[in-house]
Amino acid sequence: MSGSEGVADTQVAIGRYVDRNDLPEAFVGGNDQMAIAALNWALDRNLGVPQDLRITGFNGFDFASYVRPSLTTVTSPAYEMGKQGGVQLLRRLEAGSFEAPDLLFPVSLQVDDSD
């Protein structure tokens, strides 16, 4: 198995975890795609979301609004993060070092129906 964040690999990993440890109370996806894969995995097994399994994603991209129940997610300023990453890399190439060791961006919890 390649260990990607794709639907199949995510669902296989969830299935293996549940086989070894039982169903967790919650699944926190590393991104919204993984959370949607978990949501579909749960619904395919007739589990109630959030009654049997709470599911949360990360990123808050618009496509997550296409699933039901609607996905609880952590929203992040992805565009600004990418923009600042590019700026910092250019500064690093010009100056020979980074201006600061860390950049912090605000995130927020968007609670919805999969909570």
Side-chain angles (χ1 to χ4, degrees), residues 26-110:
F27 175 88
V28 179
N31 56 43
D32 289 338
Q33 296 92 314
M34 294 175 80
I36 291 169
L39 178 66
N40 288 329
W41 179 91
L43 296 176
D44 287 347
R45 285 152 185 79
N46 296 314
L47 296 170
V49 176
Q51 300 85 351
D52 300 315
L53 178 63
R54 293 176 165 188
I55 299 174
T56 301
F58 188 92
N59 286 344
F61 293 144
D62 287 341
F63 68 81
S65 65
Y66 289 102
V67 299
R68 293 290 176 260
S70 53
L71 186 64
T72 293
T73 188
V74 174
T75 60
S76 64
Y79 177 82
E80 185 62 25
M81 291 168 69
K83 180 180 167 184
Q84 285 300 314
V87 167
Q88 295 303 316
L89 284 173
L90 289 174
R91 286 184 183 161
R92 164 67 171 89
L93 291 171
E94 291 171 358
S97 63
F98 288 106
E99 195 171 273
D102 298 309
L103 287 177
L104 299 177
F105 295 89
V107 297
S108 62
L109 180 63
Q110 177 183 320

